[in-house]
Amino acid sequence: MKTVITIGEILLRLSPKEGRLLSSAEELSAVFGGSEANVAVALSGFGERAVHLSALPKNPMGQAAENALRKYGVDTSRIVRTEGRMGLYFCEGGASVRAGRVVYDRARSAFAEAPASLYPLPAALEGATHLHLSGITPALGKKAEELTRLALLEAKERGLTTSLDLNFRRDLWSESKAKACFLSLLPEVDILIASSDGLNILGLENAGTDLSACARAAEILHKKFHLRAVALTVRESVSASFNRLAGVYFDGEAHISPFYAVDILDRVGGGDAFAAALLHAFLNGFSGDEAVSFAAAANAYKHTVFGDAMCVSAEEILSAARGETRIRR
Amino acid sequence: MKTVITIGEILLRLSPKEGRLLSSAEELSAVFGGSEANVAVALSGFGERAVHLSALPKNPMGQAAENALRKYGVDTSRIVRTEGRMGLYFCEGGASVRAGRVVYDRARSAFAEAPASLYPLPAALEGATHLHLSGITPALGKKAEELTRLALLEAKERGLTTSLDLNFRRDLWSESKAKACFLSLLPEVDILIASSDGLNILGLENAGTDLSACARAAEILHKKFHLRAVALTVRESVSASFNRLAGVYFDGEAHISPFYAVDILDRVGGGDAFAAALLHAFLNGFSGDEAVSFAAAANAYKHTVFGDAMCVSAEEILSAARGETRIRR
Amino acid sequence: MKTVITIGEILLRLSPKEGRLLSSAEELSAVFGGSEANVAVALSGFGERAVHLSALPKNPMGQAAENALRKYGVDTSRIVRTEGRMGLYFCEGGASVRAGRVVYDRARSAFAEAPASLYPLPAALEGATHLHLSGITPALGKKAEELTRLALLEAKERGLTTSLDLNFRRDLWSESKAKACFLSLLPEVDILIASSDGLNILGLENAGTDLSACARAAEILHKKFHLRAVALTVRESVSASFNRLAGVYFDGEAHISPFYAVDILDRVGGGDAFAAALLHAFLNGFSGDEAVSFAAAANAYKHTVFGDAMCVSAEEILSAARGETRIRR
Amino acid sequence: MKTVITIGEILLRLSPKEGRLLSSAEELSAVFGGSEANVAVALSGFGERAVHLSALPKNPMGQAAENALRKYGVDTSRIVRTEGRMGLYFCEGGASVRAGRVVYDRARSAFAEAPASLYPLPAALEGATHLHLSGITPALGKKAEELTRLALLEAKERGLTTSLDLNFRRDLWSESKAKACFLSLLPEVDILIASSDGLNILGLENAGTDLSACARAAEILHKKFHLRAVALTVRESVSASFNRLAGVYFDGEAHISPFYAVDILDRVGGGDAFAAALLHAFLNGFSGDEAVSFAAAANAYKHTVFGDAMCVSAEEILSAARGETRIRR
Amino acid sequence: MKTVITIGEILLRLSPKEGRLLSSAEELSAVFGGSEANVAVALSGFGERAVHLSALPKNPMGQAAENALRKYGVDTSRIVRTEGRMGLYFCEGGASVRAGRVVYDRARSAFAEAPASLYPLPAALEGATHLHLSGITPALGKKAEELTRLALLEAKERGLTTSLDLNFRRDLWSESKAKACFLSLLPEVDILIASSDGLNILGLENAGTDLSACARAAEILHKKFHLRAVALTVRESVSASFNRLAGVYFDGEAHISPFYAVDILDRVGGGDAFAAALLHAFLNGFSGDEAVSFAAAANAYKHTVFGDAMCVSAEEILSAARGETRIRR
Amino acid sequence: MKTVITIGEILLRLSPKEGRLLSSAEELSAVFGGSEANVAVALSGFGERAVHLSALPKNPMGQAAENALRKYGVDTSRIVRTEGRMGLYFCEGGASVRAGRVVYDRARSAFAEAPASLYPLPAALEGATHLHLSGITPALGKKAEELTRLALLEAKERGLTTSLDLNFRRDLWSESKAKACFLSLLPEVDILIASSDGLNILGLENAGTDLSACARAAEILHKKFHLRAVALTVRESVSASFNRLAGVYFDGEAHISPFYAVDILDRVGGGDAFAAALLHAFLNGFSGDEAVSFAAAANAYKHTVFGDAMCVSAEEILSAARGETRIRR
């Protein structure tokens, strides 16, 4: 059991039932997520000790968010509670020819407004093995960007390994800002995670679903940014209900997972499951081949579980990776 | 924004949850629909002004039906409220090898019993651009047939364009009666809409999923009945959960849409979405190719939305038509 | 049928099921409300033409809010759609010894940020009989306060009657600011509506549940502010599940309603139902005694209906006012 | 275990969730009931063999109705299945000051249209001890009235005891028609059941909640119509949420139950629970005092159970009659 | 209408909603099932008289189980009610790459603890045509094994035909115990039902999805155990959401069904639907080809219906077997 | 923040919706509870560090139970996971004249079967301030009784204060066994908690709702068993929907709370809320008067919250204790 620190905003997700549209729904499910928190939950399921650092409002919704993480064993004792609002988003699941849709309402949230100085960074990182961040946090504004930067520096100073999932979001910031930020962060990053069709943010061509091209791109990134490892998620979006998912991992040599076909039940958080699985593999000495298949299978598995975050054991992912789909009695 | 008048019965649809049978359900969802009302709702979504003419009972269920249309911006001020009952139907969604099932209970409804003289036809048509009708209305009895006929004549007199969706329903009337009625109505019709496997009601062979045969049939109808345009929906029913949908449009020359594959969430109202999209395209000067693809995509899109009626923007249909199925953030 | 204009923010209300707390709920019902919008919906139920003026975000949630009003026949054609967020609040219903709780998240909403110049005030007021406002709107900031002021002036200029429901909310602004604002608005107000325990905002002692004291207070306000009428809601809060409600009306002489005992199902919007009923009574020439009983019964009735807004006919309220509680077949 | 035959229409009841109105509901619960079927279900719970005779449509809804009775052990083997529609009603539960509301849609149902000759009356009555009927059946039309009459005659011929619950429904027939019919049926009736405020249909003054007046009325009916027993339900309707219920029984001497106070969860079918309990008491030799308290408690008990029909053991009713309301572990 | 006796445990199944995991669910659906009870329910749907023999606890859950069978017309009058607990299981539906999961909690249930002598075997078998058993019952312990044996002997003595569905469950007993038991029972069995990949329990190689191999295996079993007929279910598990199903039947010659592709909604009870359909075919003189296609289609059909047990008419299965998947109006 | 250890079984509670009976429910809510675990959850809400010791099965249901406690901040790291089953119970909420009902199915659960030696008692008690136990644990069998005894001894040895809530359950053991056990445990107990009508288990007369008699009884117990404090819950059960609750506390002198009237939403766990509140008061130096009112109000508050356990702040209870039932904005 390793201790992994994740840092990021926790969002309330409000989504209508299957096949209902946001514009007419009268009942919404309420779950909590956020890229880095999802990674924490998944890591907890895999048996790691996950500590999530965030800022939440001092109101019942902030408490609900904390409860949601605690439920899955994530250590929330480092979360700060401030005046401010709960970031949230509305999410309409897609189906077949109809694309899913996300409406963000996260501006000026408790997390976005909290100064970096508010967080007990040294205490939180004390005794930890790894720090995981995503590109969403610096996209939320100056304060969150500073938090990202400070955390990375503090972590490297203390000898932790670090990972960054780019998670470039065009609705949060411009490509040029994102690029500049990522380039300034990468020197402190050990493991870079990105999607194969989001590579141009780092100056490469997108590699799409061509796994060899993905492997080449990962190798280039590995060298260019002196990374310990690069992991790419690969998604073939056949329809909003059916995708094929794979992964590529480069840690000196290239490792390619099989494609996993999934009928999509809830696609949000798939990349976070990939990241968590990859970190679990990395921290526990999986071979590169094992790591990438485990991560790609985790991504696929998440697509079958409702909610942003997924908390299942590594054994269940491994079983899925082996293609065992018969009912277990 | 054009003003389109639709006329037809509004039905309460009662349906059990996915996978539950009518014979054992203890909870039913309650939505309102009806072929022509569905067209009105979809047109409202596309930005047209839709005015629906109907008769509803003077009781809370009639009010509920009116509320359901108002919610989507349909003008219900021309609806008459009478003593009488709410027409309704029970609908069990199909799945895979199990066909869906509809049990109608619409006989002697407020609409079926209302004499044509009850409706404010001239006032309703005043200022309108187009009148849309379906073959279900005349199938409901003498009074509704007279309403159909009067509305068509009045519309033509006032210079509106008109459309008729055949919607032949074997459970409502005989083939011979339907044929006689349709033949008598067609002289006043500008746009004829039908399904490719329901053409024998007009004396042609059904064209099934053979798109060239469909195009030939549309051309024949176009000539024979001196129509401005003919549109055919094409459905390949692979299973009760999976269909492939296309459309053919003939407006002097033939236009053929691609096939759209859909995992079915709610197939009722697909043809009405097709009709509404086609009318929107017609009224707004889409090219024939654009029109038929837009209409076929709307049909597919409707299969992914719960309820009889669908209210989405034209942009969303166009995006689906272009095959954009990734989540929109 | 009179035309009444209401102006105010529409909020999304998210609330857990009965007996569930916000801090642990995983399913939330989604309804739309807002003091003035609730008045519009109730007036529509009573048969008036209600036009609601507001600003809503250009996204599916803004559309959902508009749909929610349209469903009940409110004219939403004057609503402006802007970039911006949907104001919302979380609401935990109380029960017995446990008080209900509201967590607002409405700061910087589309409505709060919209400048007064954005609204088509002259067009909206054209042909209207009455303008209704509440003290919540000026509490939302300078822009909304200006909108309130402009609307009142414009309305008086055009000869409309006007009403203001104080609705003082301590969480939105200070007592002194509210007082100053109210005093500046009252010269243009014909009908003042307030709660009997919120009178100190106007410099009087709160009258609580003492109906004679309420009548005296109403008389004082009537004279002091040269009003056509003053209406006070009276609430005895026996527990969070059981209240006794009454009203006092002064239009030159005092009118006092009976107390209506209610087992509370959803208490939000009770005061708005009171206001709407009072306006309906005022606009349709009810006697003072009829008016106040009708309004108090509407308040009680609303406590038995789920949601912020209630859309029922005047006959139903009158039947409740007469104490008819047997099942109607 | 006695065999009791009940005859009457089975209706589908559609009702919105607590606090939701029919005019806006999007989800309806679906239960089956009908006065006589409710009696059959309750008798089955009390341990009798209940055989229900009815006509149901040959479609999934008719099957659902049959399943609903079978679930509670009612023998449905004598039910005939015909072409025709399912009778149904919409039911909005009341609350506090808001009266409940029922919208019937039962005209021309399979039952109302079935000729008396269709039913296997002799076979159904063979071996039975008692026949129970209600005044709703003859109110449904000539055919159902004939069925009532034939069943009564056939039952008396075979030596069964008989009971009639007047259940006068003003929405189904006129007072004069009902009176004439009841007077013609009473000679074959052994036990008359009525509500204390529905006595004027038999030419008496309503006795309301005055238990002595009820006892006197019951005695008068007993003598006038040569009955074996008369049972009256007494309801004080404090609000739509809170009633006080009692019963009076005259079998040569008067027996009066205590009043049972009930917070109402579902008031439909209370009278049927009363009737069933009274018949169970009658058929099993309860004393008059025991009988009337058991019946009044069953009425109260039903008000706490969702659905038209209630299937619980006699022990549970007896426990409630004794005022045992602590949790049973 | 033949009378078929089924014997076996009835279990409460608790399962979370689609996509929710047992470890986080807060709402569970409650249905009742059990291999043999499922066969009884399906046979009742096909028009046979099904009598189910079991032991249930004397508490509300035992009553609920009985109600669940009665609802579908199964004769439960032979069920004994004892002190003891309700056997139950938790069931998490699988999806795509995620296998479904069953957690049993059936040890020491009322059924497992009831001695064979408790059951009214002679009375239950009196007048019956066929006895159906499954290999789950003897796996539950000595008492249940004895019940199985006694029932088989008693049935053969009375001239009933008999069937045994092996249903080998590795979690209930060892392979060697199961094999010994099955071998001792087979001399009294007329029809053997098994899955094509569970044949090694009888000493054969598993035949998987190779239909010719299945036919050979069935022939071998037919000869070796002097059976009247052997039926094998064949499942190709493409994913947890998509299977292809077929059947093989040997009654002197081999009969092979087509493969039916199914999108899985609820896979539990598919084999029981197969068994019931096969028995219905056998008892009503279907040809071997008809029998096996009917049985395989019933298996597929069950996969589309929620719950362990399915109650539909034979016509619906035949329609599915013919590939009719269009909506039936 | 004090550390409190609680020890006891965690049960899955399955309950139908309001007004539905266990014998017919098709949907059950799933929550986790257990007297001592409920105390832990409430203490966590009040700001204490609560550590719960228990044994849970190594399966998804055991995980679900652990998740349920973690969600509310209870430290579950001392829980042991064993082979074995999840204890559970079915719970039908009462209403008005209908008593609630509990059907236990907890025999041979993982907790009941776990030997005392399995638990890390010394480690768990290390650093703790207080140990809380209930009389349910020793009632579950020899092993659990030994655990209770060992924990008490170990706690006293380490200088912790201890409390015991008698919670006598007639369905688990006999009065004589319980009495003997309680008498043997009391010497190690500091705070005794009991219900005023369960005192005869300790040889006193039940004191019912007579608060002076309760005070006298508490004083007698205080002296007789050399306790630091005695707390009694007092319940007047007006109906299954309405109770009046109070408390009496004796810590050298008598303290009596007011009666709190509650409309009951979920009465399970009220006594546990009382115990937790009392412990919080005791550990934080509340005065005796404050303590008993806080505890009685917590009991009442719990009756308004769904689920066995309640997690709210002390401020909310204090507000309820002050009778503040108006909506908090």
Side-chain angles (χ1 to χ4, degrees), chain F residues 141-207:
Chain F
K142 280 281 159 227
K143 291 168 185 162
E145 187 177 355
E146 194 192 343
L147 172 63
T148 304
R149 208 173 297 282
L150 285 178
L152 260 183
L153 291 171
E154 181 88 27
K156 290 317 296 177
E157 208 158 286
R158 288 166 179 269
L160 281 71
T161 51
T162 63
S163 53
L164 178 72
D165 185 345
L166 288 191
N167 260 330
F168 171 59
R169 295 284 159 79
R170 208 172 297 276
D171 51 302
L172 291 176
W173 54 353
S174 70
E175 214 162 308
S176 60
K177 272 197 184 168
K179 188 175 183 179
C181 172
F182 291 158
L183 293 181
S184 75
L185 296 174
L186 279 172
E188 316 301 333
V189 169
D190 294 305
I191 306 178
L192 172 67
I193 302 167
S195 68
S196 70
D197 52 7
L199 300 177
N200 47 16
I201 196 77
L202 293 181
L204 275 72
E205 259 181 71
N206 285 345

Side-chain angles (χ1 to χ4, degrees), chain D residues 18 29 71-72 260-265 297 300-302 304-307 310-313 316 319-321 323-329, chain F residues 18-21 23-26 91-92 95-104 169 171 197 235-242 267-268:
Chain D
E18 199 192 6
S29 71
K71 181 175 179 179
Y72 297 115
Y260 293 96
V262 275
D263 299 301
I264 300 174
L265 196 132
Y301 200 98
K302 168 59 198 68
T304 73
V305 177
F306 176 81
M310 156 184 99
C311 186
V312 301
S313 73
E316 290 174 84
S319 164
E324 298 166 1
T325 58
R326 295 219 161 193
I327 199 163
R328 280 170 290 159
R329 292 182 202 262
Chain F
E18 198 191 8
R20 318 291 163 118
L21 304 181
S23 54
S24 63
E26 306 204 346
C91 177
E92 191 180 278
S96 210
V97 300
R98 176 166 57 79
R101 172 204 292 261
V102 162
V103 177
Y104 282 111
R169 295 284 159 79
D171 51 302
D197 52 7
R235 176 188 299 274
E236 184 190 350
S237 193
V238 181
S239 82
S241 303
F242 183 74
R267 78 171 289 313
V268 180

Side-chain angles (χ1 to χ4, degrees), chain B residues 289-312:
Chain B
D289 281 0
E290 285 167 347
V292 73
S293 292
F294 181 68
N299 189 357
Y301 200 98
K302 169 58 198 70
H303 283 69
T304 73
V305 176
F306 176 81
D308 276 36
M310 155 184 100
C311 185
V312 301

